[in-house]
């Protein structure tokens, strides 16, 4: 009996393709959560590692469990010495490339060096541990890749630090400022997971074949590297730099919209309210005394008014990427690394989804409708 086919809309918009207990996005309510815990509240109250524990283990840790988990994953940040020369070589191959291009090579090499093999038929705990190792290596790989590309020696991780502090330290080689650490940490918590976005789905599709988790991470990073997925914070920051001062906001925004351009950091496929991540990141930005914050708030007001006037039927509000660019910039992250830093936090979500997919797997293999030349000959 042939399996009946169902036509899904382009882009699979609104199609439920799996069940998950990891998190949910409710676009009409302006709400999203991780395992039932509102993500903005977690960002305000919890360390990144605590939320990682929530996704990996299934619940928020006690203080003692949290300390133990933080030490455990902190120790996993160190890379094997014989892998480092390979990583240095891969980091600089190809010249001037987007960060996710070289970072995905470093992740692939790390997975290969660790001997990761297809998960199918193997012990679930061992597979989950591989996921933890891959995620733990991410900040070190970002630091090594970026410093190598800039002619600097890489810096060792410090397992005593949290991910946010250690990432900043491994980039800059100085003790990070506590305001920057907490700001970055909240950004990282806010961006761990967000429904069945393209990179998460890519990770699950790869995992459904039984392939090793390194392949799933690389697939997810490839998806994230697409301009329609992970690239907007840089463009939002560039827009603010181009506007330069509050009095230029109105003519700049109007001119851009008149030319049919899209304002980066506004609009969302799922949210019809303000993006809850943007609410938190705006208040994070306001903790810094830097003129770019006042400029961003001014430009946001002008942009929202212009979008409302031009699209009265379609709520177009500020999305996560607008203030993400500002916050990452204020934390001292070079703009070319914004997507790589996004991958550091989102890898926690990818890993949880890969482990979940492996725990109740069915090969993801949809159908297509042939619209080419009709059958030729017999
Ligand atoms: N600036 C100007 N106009 C916009 C914007 C924007 N940022 N977003 C949507 N519109 C307009 C469209 O031109 C369209 O107008 P029309 O009906 O006259 O043709 C209308 O609003 C509806 O747009 P859609 O494309 O249907 O909206 P969709 O939900 O598909 O797009 C998207 C969502 C891709 C995020 C869009 O809002 C956009 O391009 N924003 C700018 C890029 C951006 O900020 N991306 C980051 C998104 S958040 C994330 O990915 C984590």
């Amino acid at each position: 009996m042939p399996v009946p086919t169902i036509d899904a809309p382009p882009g699979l918009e609104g199609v439920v393709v799996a069940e998950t207990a990891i998190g949910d996005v409710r676009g009409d309510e302006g709400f999203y959560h991780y395992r039932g815990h509102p993500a903005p509240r977690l960002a305000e109250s919890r360390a990144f590692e605590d939320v990682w524990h929530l996704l990996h283990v299934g619940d928020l840790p006690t203080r003692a469990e949290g300390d133990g988990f933080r030490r455990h994953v902190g120790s996993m940040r160190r890379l094997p010495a014989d892998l480092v020369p390979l990583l240095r070589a891969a980091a600089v191959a190809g010249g001037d490339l987007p960060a996710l291009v070289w970072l995905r090579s470093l992740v692939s090499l790390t997975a290969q060096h660790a001997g990761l093999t297809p998960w199918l038929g193997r012990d679930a705990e061992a597979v989950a541990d591989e996921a933890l190792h891959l995620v733990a290596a991410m900040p070190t790989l970002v630091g090594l890749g970026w410093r190598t590309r800039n002619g600097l020696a890489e810096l060792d991780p410090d397992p005593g630090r949290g991910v946010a502090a250690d990432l900043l330290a491994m980039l800059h080689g100085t003790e990070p400022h506590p305001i920057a650490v907490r700001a970055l940490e909240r950004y990282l918590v806010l961006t761990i997971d967000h429904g069945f976005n393209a990179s998460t789905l890519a990770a699950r599709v790869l995992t459904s074949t039984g392939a090793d988790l390194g392949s799933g991470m690389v697939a997810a990073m490839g998806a994230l590297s697409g301009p329609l997925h992970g690239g907007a914070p840089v463009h939002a920051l560039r827009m603010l730099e181009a506007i330069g001062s509050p009095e230029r906001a109105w003519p700049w925004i109007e001119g851009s919209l008149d030319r049919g351009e899209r304002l980066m950091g506004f609009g969302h496929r799922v949210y019809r309210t303000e993006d809850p991540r943007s609410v938190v990141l705006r208040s994070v930005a306001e903790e810094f005394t830097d003129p770019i914050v006042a400029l961003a708030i001014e430009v946001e007001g002008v942009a929202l008014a212009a979008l409302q006037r031009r699209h009265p039927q379609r709520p177009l509000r500020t999305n996560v990427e607008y203030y993400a660019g500002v916050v990452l910039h204020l934390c001292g992250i070079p703009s070319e690394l914004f997507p790589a830093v996004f991958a550091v936090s989102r890898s926690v979500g990818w890993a949880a989804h890969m482990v979940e997919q492996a725990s109740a797997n069915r090969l993801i293999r949809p159908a297509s409708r042939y619209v080419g030349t009709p059958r030729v000959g017999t």
Side-chain angles (χ1 to χ4, degrees), residues 13 191 194 197 227-233 235-236 256-257 260-272 275 277 307 310-311 314-322 342 346:
E13 201 170 340
T191 51
H194 204 247
N197 55 80
L228 298 182
H229 192 359
H235 298 296
S256 172
L257 292 174
E261 295 165 1
R262 291 192 173 206
L263 300 179
M264 290 296 140
F266 296 90
H268 199 272
R269 177 55 66 80
V270 179
Y271 289 121
R272 293 296 170 261
D275 185 329
R277 299 168 294 184
L307 289 170
R310 288 170 188 249
H311 298 278
R314 173 81 161 85
L316 291 171
R317 312 287 289 275
T318 318
N319 68 45
V320 60
E321 311 288 26
Y322 185 72
F342 187 4
R346 189 51 64 87

Side-chain angles (χ1 to χ4, degrees), residues 229-274:
H229 192 359
V234 177
H235 298 296
L237 185 66
R238 293 274 171 277
M239 177 177 82
L240 291 175
E241 287 167 354
I243 293 173
S245 60
E247 67 280 5
R248 282 169 43 89
W250 188 81
W252 197 98
I253 295 283
E254 289 292 330
S256 172
L257 292 174
D258 285 347
R259 289 190 297 277
E261 295 165 1
R262 291 192 173 206
L263 300 179
M264 290 296 140
F266 296 90
H268 199 272
R269 177 55 66 80
V270 179
Y271 289 121
R272 293 296 170 261
T273 61
E274 186 168 24

Side-chain angles (χ1 to χ4, degrees), residues 76 80 83 106-120 122-123 125-137 141 207 210-218 351 354-355:
M76 292 177 173
L83 171 63
L106 305 197
V107 170
S108 189
L109 275 172
T110 304
Q112 182 183 345
H113 184 276
L116 263 55
T117 54
W119 65 265
L120 201 66
R122 291 202 294 114
D123 174 57
E125 247 180 65
V127 173
D129 203 48
E130 290 172 359
L132 209 56
H133 268 93
L134 284 174
V135 176
L141 295 176
T207 306
D212 72 281
L213 298 194
S215 297
M217 289 280 277
V218 171
M354 290 194 287
V355 170

Side-chain angles (χ1 to χ4, degrees), residues 291-302:
I292 198 166
V293 180
L295 176 65
I297 292 169
E298 180 75 23
V299 170
E300 181 187 23
V302 171

